[in-house]
Amino acid sequence: MSQTAAGTAETAGRADEAQVPLSILDLATVGEGYTPSQALAATTTLAQQAEEWGYHRFWVAEHHGMPGVASSSPAVLLAHLGAHTRRIRLGSGGVMLPNHAPLVIAEQFGLLHALHPGRIDLGLGRAPGTDQATARALRRGAGLDAADEFPQQLSELLHFLDADFPAGHLYERLKAVPGEASAPGSGRPPVWLLGSSGFSAQLAGRLGLPFAFAHHFSAANTVPALDLYRDSFRPSEVLSEPYALIGVGVVAADEEREARRLAGSGALAMLRLRSGRPGLVPTPAEAESYPYSELERDFVDAWLSNVVVGDPDQVREGLRQLRGRTGADELMVTSNIHGHEARRRSYELVAKAWGLPR
């Protein structure tokens, strides 16, 4: 395994749950009664505490037009988080590549890698991370079918990161600065493909790249996508064998009843988002008093059925069983709930329950 792969996979310990790395996906959640500034300050504190608790990575996601999510620009937020942490790996979960020119992303993450060497992951997705109108505004002339060009965009981005366009290519003389070309021998950030279906799973496998699957909102596709990734995997200079991470919705509290009460706020936020009414994350009290229709209640129940909810022992067992069913090399937990202290406590309890090394 190459030095780059070591930064990606390290020592996963597939046979022993206690050795399976645990990471965090954070959205800089903005709840009712809070401002984006407060949410970003809470995310910064959370990254620092995640480092102390023994989490392996801390990723942030690109979303647009969502009042309850403040992480619209992962590169900007990662630069800030890197300046306020010391060793935890930081990354995008992910950057939505069709929204950007590949050269821009190569420059941004080359700069992040130069600022925080050996700590940056570049996770890439092909969804817009928003609604169609906002995607059109983001992509301008590229059009809404830009996602269909994702393999070509990815290839271009990798060539910029590695400074190895073939002779005669239109971009042969172009360099991403800072980057591999401007600092020979420095390497580049590990590139991950993200997905919620089989497309990116198969592409990641063919390219020999690590793969992150969004189990937290596409649970039914998790095992088929991971099987497809492993079946299509070809060893590369990056990885000698497949490495798969899954995102997992988790809500932990000292008591199960409180955890379930907290989980209701995230479920209502998702219901509103899927209904075309994105807003701030509601309070648990609002979620409890919301007049759900039968169809809405079915959606919320289905959503919560794929979230690991409970006290520390229940959460540990739920994660252990999920890891056993999927064979994931790494688990990335996300707690999309109201209240910074409740979210912080959830991640702290998960870390202790999983037995993370501090």
Side-chain angles (χ1 to χ4, degrees), residues 47-346:
Q48 293 170 327
Q49 293 177 318
E51 186 171 71
E52 295 175 4
W53 294 329
Y55 281 97
H56 185 46
R57 307 177 203 274
F58 192 96
W59 282 6
V60 296
E62 176 185 348
H63 290 286
H64 301 278
M66 299 181 188
V69 178
S71 58
S72 57
S73 179
V76 174
L77 184 52
L78 291 172
H80 174 76
L81 296 178
H84 288 81
T85 54
R86 294 169 295 143
R87 61 182 182 277
I88 192 169
R89 294 194 67 85
L90 302 167
S92 57
V95 163
M96 301 302 141
L97 186 56
N99 294 342
H100 311 276
L103 176 57
V104 170
I105 300 305
E107 290 177 334
Q108 288 178 352
F109 278 78
L111 178 56
L112 284 168
H113 182 64
L115 286 169
H116 311 294
R119 296 178 56 202
I120 300 297
D121 299 322
L122 173 52
L124 300 167
R126 68 187 188 103
T130 188
D131 58 86
Q132 289 193 349
T134 307
R136 186 175 289 108
L138 285 166
R139 296 175 181 180
R140 305 296 291 178
L144 294 178
D145 60 350
D148 296 334
E149 301 173 6
F150 181 77
Q152 179 182 343
Q153 291 177 309
L154 174 62
S155 175
E156 188 176 304
L157 172 59
L158 293 174
H159 281 306
F160 275 125
L161 289 172
D162 292 330
D164 65 351
F165 279 104
H169 192 280
L170 178 64
Y171 300 149
E172 177 187 2
R173 298 182 182 276
L174 298 185
K175 305 297 181 185
V177 180
E180 172 67 13
S182 59
S186 66
R188 61 160 168 83
V191 173
W192 291 68
L193 293 195
L194 280 58
S196 58
S197 65
F199 181 92
S200 291
Q202 192 168 26
L203 182 59
R206 290 204 311 265
L207 296 176
L209 295 174
F211 178 57
F213 186 82
H215 172 82
H216 54 299
F217 62 79
S218 188
N221 293 327
T222 303
V223 172
L226 294 184
D227 286 345
L228 185 59
Y229 168 60
R230 292 166 183 140
D231 290 344
S232 60
F233 185 83
R234 301 173 185 171
S236 68
E237 293 183 0
V238 174
L239 287 178
S240 59
E241 57 186 11
Y243 190 86
L245 169 160
I246 60 172
V248 187
V250 176
V251 180
D254 292 284
E255 297 181 356
E256 178 186 1
R257 182 176 179 180
E258 175 63 8
R260 296 201 175 280
R261 189 181 78 89
L262 292 170
S265 63
L268 177 56
M270 182 55 62
L271 170 65
R272 288 172 169 168
L273 176 63
R274 293 289 176 87
S275 303
R277 299 173 289 139
L280 302 180
V281 177
T283 65
E286 183 180 354
E288 288 178 322
S289 63
Y290 183 86
Y292 296 95
S293 68
E294 183 177 354
L295 188 61
E296 289 175 330
R297 175 54 64 185
D298 288 343
F299 174 89
V300 165
D301 289 345
W303 177 262
L304 290 174
S305 70
N306 293 313
V307 180
V308 180
V309 182
D311 62 30
D313 289 340
Q314 291 170 317
V315 166
R316 181 180 63 250
E317 180 61 18
L319 291 176
R320 188 193 67 80
Q321 291 183 9
L322 179 61
R323 196 269 166 179
R325 292 196 304 272
T326 63
D329 299 289
E330 186 172 337
L331 302 176
M332 178 167 278
V333 297
T334 183
S335 295
N336 185 31
I337 56 179
H338 184 275
H340 303 319
E341 176 55 31
R343 196 158 100 258
R344 187 206 68 81
R345 181 62 173 161
S346 178

